[in-house]
Amino acid sequence: MANKTVNEEQGGPDDMFTGLQTELEAGKIDLRRRLLSSTTLRGGQLTQHFCLNYGMYYKFVAQTASESFDTAPAAIKNTRSRLNWVARHALQLAQTPNPSLDFNEELLIGYFEKQAIDYHDDGEAGLGPTIASLSLGWPAPMKLRMKEKHYNGVSKAGVMVTDKPMPGCEKYSERLAAWQELEALKATGGEEAAATYKQRVKALPKELGLKAKGNARDVVTLQLRHGDVMLMHGADIQKYYEHAVVPDGALRFALTCRYIDPMSLSEDIRPHVGPDSQPYDGAALPEPPK
Ligand SMILES: O=C(O)CCC(=O)C(=O)O
């Protein structure tokens, strides 16, 4: 959570918020609504929010070109440096075994009146396990809920979801036992076990009284205020959960950094992204009280 000292630091959230607006006004940031990749509407459909990507190309829910960090506004570069610093420290504090690689991508989203981003995950192939974002401007709740398929345990085709169930899902203990049964069949191997596995995957939803439809309730709601940093770590959070952000007022920016494996992109959409040229070290901040 940010505070006055953090927000007022030179090049910090207050300066970034003003800087982004000044650069936008001067036409130096190509923030616009982008074409949704998943739309089936003839003529296409644009995102509610405005966005622009920097650094490594990101196959986001929307099709956005990627601009270089070298020529990016100070707020963009400063965000990358600060989020690298935050991620390094937070993961070290949490004694995470595989600390994240420095971020090489940043997505700038601008939310104006009544704009939001609906439930989605950041689990695209090639993404590193750590995602960090900085919020600027008007506060907004970020909500996290289990995905419908993992919450209910039934796929769209009506068969049992075979991933390990998460605590908090429908019929957790029964599903855990069923999952153990399926894992044991998998471990047995052979044609007979494979046939039983197939048959059990079909029969289990009815046997356990599972329904395919119905959204999970939000498990976490974070109020993201000006200067706050949000960190998600671990592939499972993207696999099992989805998040949405519904700002409840006027102007807000979200600047989200990720590590994208360059090798997950084909050569024609793989820009060269250099290292963070001005690493932030938090040296100007006072020591936190003991
Ligand atoms: O607006 C935010 O804080 C988060 C944006 C987001 O969900 C994303 O970039 O995936």
Side-chain angles (χ1 to χ4, degrees):
M1 265 166 56
N3 57 27
K4 195 166 161 1
T5 313
V6 169
N7 286 341
E8 290 180 353
E9 194 189 352
Q10 199 184 358
D14 289 357
D15 284 349
M16 292 177 185
F17 191 48
T18 315
L20 283 177
Q21 290 176 79
T22 311
E23 301 257 359
L24 264 174
E25 180 67 19
K28 292 190 187 150
I29 303 182
D30 187 20
L31 204 60
R32 44 174 132 138
R33 286 188 154 130
R34 308 277 168 178
L35 197 62
L36 274 170
S37 317
S38 59
T39 186
T40 47
L41 285 184
R42 199 178 282 191
Q45 189 186 351
L46 301 181
T47 55
Q48 268 192 43
H49 54 265
F50 290 69
C51 56
L52 177 60
N53 201 66
Y54 291 90
M56 202 52 72
Y57 181 76
Y58 178 36
K59 287 183 263 176
F60 176 51
V61 284
Q63 296 165 11
T64 148
S66 209
E67 298 200 353
S68 169
F69 277 115
D70 300 343
T71 48
I76 300 297
K77 295 193 221 180
N78 288 350
T79 297
R80 182 189 183 198
S81 304
R82 278 161 190 259
L83 292 182
N84 273 330
W85 178 76
V86 172
R88 228 174 283 131
H89 280 263
L91 296 180
Q92 215 171 39
L93 275 176
Q95 300 183 335
T96 307
N98 299 312
S100 64
L101 290 161
D102 276 3
F103 298 123
N104 61 4
E105 179 271 347
E106 183 172 333
L107 179 69
L108 167 65
I109 297 188
Y111 300 91
F112 300 91
E113 267 181 78
K114 302 222 164 66
Q115 294 179 340
I117 190 162
D118 205 355
Y119 287 98
H120 65 285
D121 64 53
D122 290 10
E124 294 88 353
L127 253 65
T130 311
I131 294 167
S133 77
L134 171 72
S135 292
L136 298 176
W138 206 259
M142 175 177 176
K143 303 178 293 179
L144 209 80
R145 72 180 182 194
M146 203 178 289
K147 291 180 185 174
E148 191 177 17
K149 150 180 145 172
H150 291 295
Y151 180 64
N152 295 313
V154 186
S155 75
K156 282 203 177 105
V159 299
M160 187 79 182
V161 171
T162 54
D163 294 304
K164 188 175 183 182
M166 275 276 147
C169 67
E170 287 285 6
K171 308 236 165 127
Y172 174 63
S173 41
E174 293 92 325
R175 276 173 56 195
L176 190 60
W179 175 78
Q180 281 159 349
E181 179 196 334
L182 292 174
E183 287 296 296
L185 282 168
K186 249 202 268 177
T188 306
E191 271 180 36
E192 200 182 320
T196 313
Y197 182 93
K198 244 174 136 176
Q199 180 257 318
R200 294 298 291 145
V201 161
K202 276 194 199 153
L204 277 164
K206 194 163 174 211
E207 217 171 273
L208 301 183
L210 301 174
K211 292 184 288 246
K213 284 210 178 299
N215 282 321
R217 277 199 299 272
D218 295 323
V219 284
V220 176
T221 301
L222 295 171
Q223 191 66 12
L224 300 175
R225 297 193 176 84
H226 177 67
D228 284 352
V229 169
M230 184 282 307
L231 196 74
M232 291 192 269
H233 181 76
D236 275 358
I237 198 165
Q238 308 302 338
K239 176 176 168 180
Y240 286 96
Y241 293 89
E242 55 189 1
H243 57 277
V245 179
V246 188
D248 40 18
L251 183 62
R252 172 174 185 268
F253 295 111
L255 301 97
T256 305
C257 282
R258 302 168 183 83
Y259 173 78
I260 297 177
D261 178 2
M263 291 309 150
S264 68
L265 301 170
S266 60
E267 225 173 314
D268 53 320
I269 52 165
R270 190 191 308 149
H272 168 74
V273 180
D276 188 355
S277 58
Q278 41 177 41
Y280 174 80
D281 61 5
L285 295 176
E287 278 292 311
K290 297 249 186 277

